[in-house]
Amino acid sequence: MNTPPSPPLPVSYHPAGRYLLPVPQGMKYAGMYHTINYIHVEETPWERGDRAGQFQELWSEVLETATDKYNRRASLGPSSQGGLAHEDVSKLFGHEAVLLCYANDQGGHNIDVFIALPEHILRITEDCGYDVGEECTDMTDYILDFYRHYRPNWENCSPDSFLTPRGRLEGLEIVDEYVSASSYRPAAEEQLEIVLSMSESYLTRPPGERLSISVFRKALKAHGIELEVVRSRQRTVASIPGRETAFIMSENKNGKVDAQFSAEWASESEANNLDRPRIHIEINCDASAENEALHLWDTVMDSFTSVRNWHESKMKRR
């Protein structure tokens, strides 16, 4: 006899760019990483006490590390050393602000701006190219335009908003984006850890073909891993068509069977289409927690939404 599905759990919503990650009751939000138009935004809450000291400590640590690398790389030549700049740009941003420019580990430069907003410290980091042997120039134009689209908090956000943990970007023309976010149910005396993660990115080229289950099973079997498929079906999530797969992978390790449960959903994405980005959501745990994980999973699948849909539903409730 089939067990009837459990009712969805209550959820809290957390930012995931142009989407909202539902975190079911019993799970904890772990955080979010994101870039938008090749820029990373970081928001640091103010601590009690000396704000000026906290602000200076935050950017000066970055400058100290960058200066140390710059000096150590001097003997390697300008292509390895890069440039180094430090400038007060408070007049440009309307708040106390500091701009740093320094070589990063990918062969380019970071244009790094720290802004002391009343709500929090905003850090905007652009990864950009660098002309070998040239000074850093035109460092603020692109970031200034980006900053004009930034708003602290989510209050009265527009349907096209890109949400960050403590703010949002509105009206920005998006040419590239990447978001990853995660949550987890911590291990306790009578429960196993369950980890949920998602990623979303803008595609500039057509997605490759998905690996079929039969090919996946054959590849695993060659390494002594057995695959049991629990679900394999089309599933529409947040009005986006996609494919859901749930499975158990088991392996005999020194006479003991290690079995892991996973479920994943991948959207049907299209290149150069913001409405059809690549979205991947997955949940992982020990196979003995399969039923609990599926309950959490179905809650997430039924609750996942876009900022636009969330905004429209909020307007209807008014």
Side-chain angles (χ1 to χ4, degrees):
M1 185 175 71
N2 292 329
T3 303
S6 301
L9 295 164
V11 302
S12 57
Y13 283 102
H14 294 267
R18 293 184 299 112
Y19 296 86
L20 290 164
L21 179 67
V23 176
Q25 187 178 66
M27 298 192 80
K28 296 183 178 181
Y29 180 65
M32 166 189 176
Y33 176 83
H34 59 281
T35 61
I36 178 168
N37 293 356
Y38 311 103
I39 287 178
H40 175 62
V41 174
E42 187 177 307
E43 298 142 319
T44 302
W46 289 112
E47 298 173 355
R48 290 175 179 262
D50 181 13
R51 286 193 169 190
Q54 182 189 349
F55 181 68
Q56 181 170 351
E57 183 179 2
L58 193 64
W59 65 258
S60 61
E61 285 182 0
V62 177
L63 177 60
E64 183 178 342
T65 301
T67 302
D68 180 60
K69 284 185 178 180
Y70 181 78
N71 292 334
R72 284 189 288 107
R73 291 173 174 175
S75 62
L76 301 176
S79 60
S80 296
Q81 184 182 30
L84 182 67
H86 164 217
E87 186 177 348
D88 185 317
V89 289
S90 303
K91 291 183 179 179
L92 292 175
F93 290 89
H95 300 279
E96 185 179 359
V98 171
L99 179 146
L100 308 178
C101 179
Y102 52 90
N104 59 36
D105 295 329
Q106 287 74 47
H109 262 205
N110 282 347
I111 308 296
D112 215 348
V113 179
F114 296 78
I115 308 164
L117 298 178
E119 297 82 3
H120 49 257
I121 301 172
L122 176 65
R123 180 180 181 183
I124 304 174
T125 307
E126 179 192 2
D127 180 358
C128 58
Y130 169 66
D131 294 327
V132 177
E134 298 294 328
E135 292 294 327
C136 301
T137 57
D138 300 325
M139 294 184 290
T140 56
D141 290 351
Y142 189 59
I143 284 184
L144 265 174
D145 179 67
F146 185 89
Y147 173 69
R148 292 186 186 104
H149 294 277
Y150 180 82
R151 308 285 184 274
N153 68 59
W154 298 0
E155 188 176 349
N156 300 319
C157 72
S158 66
D160 72 341
S161 293
F162 182 101
L163 301 185
T164 62
R166 293 178 173 270
R168 65 193 191 275
L169 290 145
E170 290 186 347
L172 183 69
E173 181 182 357
I174 297 175
V175 296
D176 181 82
E177 66 180 6
Y178 173 79
V179 173
S180 64
S182 61
S183 64
Y184 66 99
R185 189 188 75 171
E189 187 175 341
E190 296 185 0
Q191 70 178 23
L192 296 169
E193 182 182 50
I194 298 175
V195 178
L196 174 78
S197 61
M198 73 148 288
S199 63
E200 182 267 332
S201 58
Y202 177 67
L203 292 181
T204 57
R205 61 182 66 181
E209 291 187 12
R210 290 177 182 157
L211 194 67
S212 69
I213 290 177
S214 60
V215 172
F216 186 41
R217 178 182 278 116
K218 185 176 180 180
L220 290 174
K221 197 170 185 65
H223 291 85
I225 302 172
E226 296 295 327
L227 178 70
E228 176 191 345
V229 178
V230 178
R231 290 181 186 175
S232 179
R233 63 185 183 180
Q234 293 295 118
R235 185 167 186 173
T236 298
V237 174
S239 303
I240 303 170
R243 184 81 186 174
E244 176 192 37
T245 310
F247 50 88
I248 295 172
M249 292 192 296
S250 56
E251 182 180 10
N252 192 317
K253 294 182 177 180
N254 300 320
K256 184 178 180 182
V257 176
D258 177 31
Q260 298 293 315
F261 171 80
S262 298
E264 59 182 41
W265 178 84
S267 64
E268 293 181 4
S269 51
E270 294 180 3
N272 303 309
N273 185 349
L274 272 176
D275 294 325
R276 297 288 291 274
R278 176 168 54 194
I279 303 175
H280 183 266
I281 307 173
E282 67 176 275
I283 197 167
N284 297 283
C285 65
D286 188 272
S288 60
E290 174 190 348
N291 291 335
E292 298 166 272
L294 277 173
H295 190 195
L296 294 167
W297 174 254
D298 285 329
T299 296
V300 171
M301 292 289 96
D302 292 337
S303 306
F304 186 77
T305 189
S306 66
V307 173
R308 182 174 295 279
N309 289 345
W310 173 71
H311 185 274
E312 289 175 356
S313 64
K314 188 173 68 170
M315 291 297 101
K316 288 177 183 178
R317 291 195 298 268
R318 288 186 174 181

